[in-house]
Amino acid sequence: MERHVSTVEIVTELTRMRDISQNWRAHNAQIGFVPTMGYLHEGHLSLLRQANHENDHCVVSIFVNPTQFSPQEDLDVYPRDLEGDHAKIKETGAEVIFYPTDKVMYPPGYKTYVTVTELSSKLCGITRPTHFRGVTTIVCKLFNIVGPHRAYFGQKDAQQAFIIKKMVTDLDMDVVIRILPIIREEDGLAMSSRNAYLSPTERRAATVLHRALQNGLELFQQGSREPLLLQKALQEFISQEPLARIDYVSIVDPDTFLEPGENCQTLLAAVAVFFGQTRLIDNMTYSCDE
Ligand code: AMP
């Protein structure tokens, strides 16, 4: 199903997006969907390529969703580059960029939100209490408009991916959620649109995240399975970097996002750390099978 189309339609109207999707569905075509906030990098593009590979048609949305930012966060300065994104998307085979305005997604009088309880208030939800409510609301709306068979998310945002899977299960949504691996820079830093905010010194300092996670993996592989000890080791490793200010370091069971039980064979180490004003997240799975 490889396609490399030279024209990519930019759709801003909800009705047009729905027409395209309904027409594809009427022809029994499979639709892959990649929701993003734009300023695309190789992490996003890996999702698009896979979506293109596994489906007859591929849609990417670019929408900097205001409801997932709190008032003091970076909504107004979030990096945007539709022209650059358009050029990159052309190379992936995706046919449609859904690019709605805030008013299309949240018209005046908008009142409805989707919340996955409990899970949304852990880890990133502690310092960002309304963030996941915004994410699940927009993803639910986008699924309703785009009508995908498969939707693609990155393991980079592990908690987000887990919460979306839970929403899809709990609300009986007819869409397969595909979670793809974290794409990293050569020095290990997980790709993120927010890396653009980092000064050169912060950018160098930020490599501590991957090094810390990697160090935790080595400890795990040497037999250190106690979550609290691993958490402490990661915290200490990151704290050696003077520019790093830890939001959280957490070791959870990736199947529940709860504290790991005694016989848990796989652990997820997840971190959120500020470098200056920029908050970066990263994670790594520690598994006995690997
Ligand atoms: P965003 O534009 O930050 O909302 O991200 C859109 C999608 O791309 C989400 O599913 C992210 O998890 C995914 N993504 C972001 N960065 C990466 C990365 N470095 N590797 C893989 N997927 C990523």
Side-chain angles (χ1 to χ4, degrees):
M1 283 186 240
E2 298 295 336
R3 268 168 292 107
H4 292 280
V5 284
S6 51
T7 53
V8 182
E9 181 175 348
I10 301 178
V11 175
T12 54
E13 292 303 322
L14 191 153
T15 46
R16 171 74 187 138
M17 186 63 248
R18 199 166 261 151
D19 282 351
I20 293 172
S21 156
Q22 284 175 354
N23 180 43
W24 284 339
R25 279 190 167 251
H27 290 87
N28 278 329
Q30 299 279 304
I31 304 169
F33 176 47
V34 182
T36 80
M37 298 205 298
Y39 209 69
L40 303 183
H41 50 66
E42 273 302 314
H44 297 112
L45 300 179
S46 70
L47 305 182
L48 275 158
R49 289 190 195 106
Q50 192 67 20
N52 186 48
H53 180 67
E54 293 179 355
N55 299 276
D56 301 306
H57 300 286
C58 173
V59 177
V60 52
S61 63
I62 297 179
F63 181 62
V64 183
N65 174 35
T67 63
Q68 69 190 66
F69 290 77
S70 69
Q72 63 276 16
E73 287 180 345
D74 54 343
L75 174 64
D76 292 340
V77 292
Y78 195 85
R80 294 161 206 249
D81 177 18
L82 181 62
E83 219 175 292
D85 289 347
H86 189 223
K88 289 174 189 160
I89 290 166
K90 270 187 189 170
E91 305 302 316
T92 67
E95 287 145 277
V96 172
I97 303 173
F98 183 47
Y99 184 67
T101 59
D102 290 3
K103 234 177 158 179
V104 162
M105 297 312 284
Y106 299 109
Y110 188 88
K111 294 278 184 248
T112 306
Y113 292 89
V114 178
T115 304
V116 175
T117 56
E118 292 176 27
L119 290 168
S120 297
S121 41
K122 298 173 190 303
L123 306 184
C124 288
I126 296 171
T127 40
R128 307 186 76 195
T130 56
H131 172 68
F132 289 115
R133 180 183 90 142
V135 170
T136 38
T137 299
I138 197 65
V139 170
C140 179
K141 283 170 69 66
L142 290 167
F143 283 180
N144 284 335
I145 297 163
V146 175
H149 295 83
R150 295 179 195 83
Y152 297 78
F153 295 87
Q155 174 65 14
K156 154 90 181 355
D157 298 85
Q159 187 180 8
Q160 166 176 289
F162 189 80
I163 287 173
I164 285 166
K165 272 194 187 165
K166 186 73 181 129
M167 171 184 78
V168 164
T169 305
D170 286 356
L171 295 182
D172 313 302
M173 293 176 163
D174 193 13
V175 51
V176 174
I177 302 300
R178 301 268 289 116
I179 313 294
L180 300 188
I182 302 175
I183 304 296
R184 298 180 178 281
E185 302 285 358
E186 263 179 30
D187 62 7
L189 180 66
M191 290 193 181
S192 164
S193 308
R194 287 191 166 99
N195 291 349
Y197 298 145
L198 300 169
S199 71
T201 39
E202 288 166 350
R203 171 66 186 78
R204 276 192 293 279
T207 60
V208 74
L209 299 184
H210 184 245
R211 287 185 281 117
L213 289 164
Q214 202 63 44
N215 180 253
L217 176 63
E218 280 158 31
L219 294 174
F220 180 88
Q221 285 166 341
Q222 287 158 16
S224 179
R225 301 281 152 87
E226 174 54 50
L228 276 178
L229 291 182
L230 285 170
Q231 183 194 23
K232 201 156 167 272
L234 262 88
Q235 264 163 348
E236 280 171 6
F237 196 107
I238 296 169
S239 301
Q240 285 167 24
E241 169 49 61
L243 293 185
R245 184 164 53 86
I246 294 176
D247 177 2
Y248 69 78
V249 171
S250 219
I251 309 287
V252 296
D253 176 344
D255 293 332
T256 59
F257 264 73
L258 298 173
E259 209 175 292
E262 274 199 10
N263 296 319
C264 195
Q265 297 294 298
T266 306
L267 302 175
L268 180 82
V271 301
V273 176
F274 284 94
F275 297 87
Q277 298 298 308
T278 308
R279 182 177 173 280
L280 300 181
I281 58 172
D282 201 348
N283 67 82
M284 197 175 278
T285 304
Y286 301 159
S287 173
C288 293
D289 310 331
E290 285 161 21

